Amino acid sequence: MSAKTNNIYGRILISDSSIERFVSRVAMDCYGIVEFVPKNLVDSIVSFFKFGSEVKGVKVHSVGDRISIDVSVIVKYGVSIKAVIEALKESIKYKTERFTGMIVDVINVNVKGVK
Protein backbone atom coordinates (compact mmCIF):
# COMPACT_ATOMS: atom_id res chain seq x y z
CA MET A 1 0.00 0.00 0.00
CA SER A 2 0.92 3.64 -0.18
CA ALA A 3 0.07 6.62 1.96
CA LYS A 4 -1.93 9.10 -0.14
CA THR A 5 -2.80 12.74 0.29
CA ASN A 6 -3.69 15.73 -1.83
CA ASN A 7 -2.52 19.31 -1.55
CA ILE A 8 -2.56 22.42 -3.72
CA TYR A 9 0.27 21.01 -5.86
CA GLY A 10 -1.40 17.70 -6.62
CA ARG A 11 -1.53 14.14 -5.31
CA ILE A 12 1.24 12.69 -3.16
CA LEU A 13 1.92 8.95 -2.84
CA ILE A 14 4.55 7.63 -0.42
CA SER A 15 5.25 3.90 -0.36
CA ASP A 16 5.07 2.04 2.95
CA SER A 17 8.64 0.80 2.46
CA SER A 18 9.89 4.40 2.23
CA ILE A 19 8.14 5.25 5.48
CA GLU A 20 9.55 2.08 7.08
CA ARG A 21 13.11 3.12 6.19
CA PHE A 22 12.47 6.61 7.54
CA VAL A 23 11.01 5.28 10.80
CA SER A 24 13.98 2.95 11.30
CA ARG A 25 16.41 5.86 10.95
CA VAL A 26 14.39 8.02 13.34
CA ALA A 27 14.19 5.21 15.90
CA MET A 28 17.92 4.50 15.81
CA ASP A 29 18.53 8.14 16.77
CA CYS A 30 16.59 7.61 20.00
CA TYR A 31 18.63 6.94 23.11
CA GLY A 32 18.23 3.42 24.46
CA ILE A 33 17.30 1.65 21.23
CA VAL A 34 19.94 -0.96 20.33
CA GLU A 35 18.48 -2.68 17.27
CA PHE A 36 15.38 -3.88 15.48
CA VAL A 37 14.22 -7.49 15.46
CA PRO A 38 11.61 -9.27 13.36
CA LYS A 39 8.21 -9.43 15.03
CA ASN A 40 7.62 -13.16 14.50
CA LEU A 41 8.99 -16.29 12.80
CA VAL A 42 7.55 -15.44 9.39
CA ASP A 43 9.18 -12.00 9.49
CA SER A 44 12.47 -13.65 10.54
CA ILE A 45 12.37 -15.97 7.53
CA VAL A 46 11.45 -13.15 5.17
CA SER A 47 14.27 -10.92 6.45
CA PHE A 48 16.74 -13.85 6.32
CA PHE A 49 16.04 -14.45 2.65
CA LYS A 50 15.61 -10.69 2.04
CA PHE A 51 12.18 -10.97 0.46
CA GLY A 52 10.02 -7.88 0.77
CA SER A 53 11.10 -4.93 2.86
CA GLU A 54 14.75 -4.23 3.69
CA VAL A 55 13.86 -3.02 7.18
CA LYS A 56 13.39 -5.67 9.81
CA GLY A 57 11.28 -4.88 12.85
CA VAL A 58 9.28 -2.02 11.31
CA LYS A 59 5.88 -2.45 9.67
CA VAL A 60 3.83 0.41 8.28
CA HIS A 61 0.16 0.12 7.36
CA SER A 62 -1.44 3.05 5.59
CA VAL A 63 -5.02 3.76 4.60
CA GLY A 64 -5.50 7.03 2.76
CA ASP A 65 -3.68 9.71 4.73
CA ARG A 66 -3.64 7.70 7.99
CA ILE A 67 -0.59 5.69 9.05
CA SER A 68 -0.16 3.01 11.71
CA ILE A 69 3.30 1.81 12.68
CA ASP A 70 4.50 -1.38 14.42
CA VAL A 71 8.07 -1.41 15.75
CA SER A 72 9.91 -4.35 17.38
CA VAL A 73 13.09 -3.34 19.20
CA ILE A 74 15.78 -4.41 21.62
CA VAL A 75 16.40 -1.87 24.40
CA LYS A 76 19.71 -1.01 26.04
CA TYR A 77 20.30 -2.60 29.44
CA GLY A 78 19.98 -0.24 32.40
CA VAL A 79 17.62 2.32 30.93
CA SER A 80 14.01 2.94 31.87
CA ILE A 81 12.05 1.00 29.26
CA LYS A 82 8.95 3.13 29.78
CA ALA A 83 10.89 6.39 29.28
CA VAL A 84 12.68 5.07 26.19
CA ILE A 85 9.44 3.84 24.60
CA GLU A 86 7.58 7.09 25.32
CA ALA A 87 10.44 9.11 23.78
CA LEU A 88 10.54 6.73 20.82
CA LYS A 89 6.80 7.07 20.18
CA GLU A 90 6.89 10.87 20.41
CA SER A 91 9.88 11.11 18.09
CA ILE A 92 8.42 8.73 15.49
CA LYS A 93 5.02 10.44 15.53
CA TYR A 94 6.38 13.98 15.27
CA LYS A 95 9.04 13.31 12.63
CA THR A 96 6.88 11.00 10.50
CA GLU A 97 4.01 13.50 10.43
CA ARG A 98 6.44 16.26 9.46
CA PHE A 99 8.11 14.06 6.82
CA THR A 100 4.93 12.76 5.17
CA GLY A 101 2.37 15.46 5.96
CA MET A 102 0.01 12.66 6.99
CA ILE A 103 -1.50 11.61 10.31
CA VAL A 104 0.06 8.86 12.43
CA ASP A 105 -2.87 7.16 14.16
CA VAL A 106 -1.11 4.56 16.27
CA ILE A 107 2.41 3.41 17.09
CA ASN A 108 2.76 -0.05 18.60
CA VAL A 109 6.16 -0.81 20.16
CA ASN A 110 7.13 -4.39 21.00
CA VAL A 111 10.18 -4.73 23.24
CA LYS A 112 11.68 -8.09 22.29
CA GLY A 113 14.68 -8.00 24.59
CA VAL A 114 17.33 -6.13 26.53
CA LYS A 115 20.98 -6.00 25.51
Side-chain angles (χ1 to χ4, degrees), residues 96-111:
T96 303
E97 286 179 347
R98 296 271 323 239
F99 174 68
T100 63
M102 297 165 198
I103 299 166
V104 176
D105 278 335
V106 66
I107 300 171
N108 298 314
V109 179
N110 299 308
V111 177

Side-chain angles (χ1 to χ4, degrees), residues 20 39 43 46 53 55 57-61 68-72:
E20 287 172 356
K39 187 174 181 176
D43 288 343
V46 167
S53 177
V55 181
V58 179
K59 293 286 182 195
V60 171
H61 308 284
S68 64
I69 302 169
D70 296 326
V71 181
S72 298

Side-chain angles (χ1 to χ4, degrees), residues 6 12-20 34 36-37 44-45 49 55 63 71-72 77 85 97-99 105 111 114:
N6 293 316
I12 300 170
L13 299 171
I14 303 173
S15 69
D16 288 349
S17 62
S18 297
I19 298 171
E20 287 172 356
V34 176
F36 296 101
V37 293
S44 296
I45 293 168
F49 289 110
V55 181
V63 177
V71 181
S72 298
Y77 175 78
I85 299 309
E97 286 179 347
R98 296 271 323 239
F99 174 68
D105 278 335
V111 177
V114 177

Side-chain angles (χ1 to χ4, degrees), residues 3-114:
K4 302 172 198 158
T5 190
N6 293 316
N7 65 15
I8 60 172
Y9 302 111
R11 194 164 92 174
I12 300 170
L13 299 171
I14 303 173
S15 69
D16 288 349
S17 62
S18 297
I19 298 171
E20 287 172 356
R21 280 189 227 106
F22 178 78
V23 168
S24 71
R25 297 234 170 124
V26 167
M28 287 309 294
D29 288 342
C30 290
Y31 177 77
I33 302 299
V34 176
E35 65 181 301
F36 296 101
V37 293
K39 187 174 181 176
N40 53 35
L41 181 62
V42 173
D43 288 343
S44 296
I45 293 168
V46 167
S47 73
F48 179 74
F49 289 110
K50 299 192 186 213
F51 299 127
S53 177
E54 299 172 10
V55 181
K56 64 179 180 180
V58 179
K59 293 286 182 195
V60 171
H61 308 284
S62 59
V63 177
D65 66 344
R66 303 271 183 185
I67 302 169
S68 64
I69 302 169
D70 296 326
V71 181
S72 298
V73 295
I74 292 181
V75 178
K76 183 178 181 179
Y77 175 78
V79 298
S80 169
I81 293 175
K82 181 179 179 185
V84 168
I85 299 309
E86 290 300 319
L88 176 65
K89 284 181 165 186
E90 288 176 21
S91 180
I92 289 174
K93 181 174 176 58
Y94 176 75
K95 291 180 179 177
T96 303
E97 286 179 347
R98 296 271 323 239
F99 174 68
T100 63
M102 297 165 198
I103 299 166
V104 176
D105 278 335
V106 66
I107 300 171
N108 298 314
V109 179
N110 299 308
V111 177
K112 293 293 187 176
V114 177

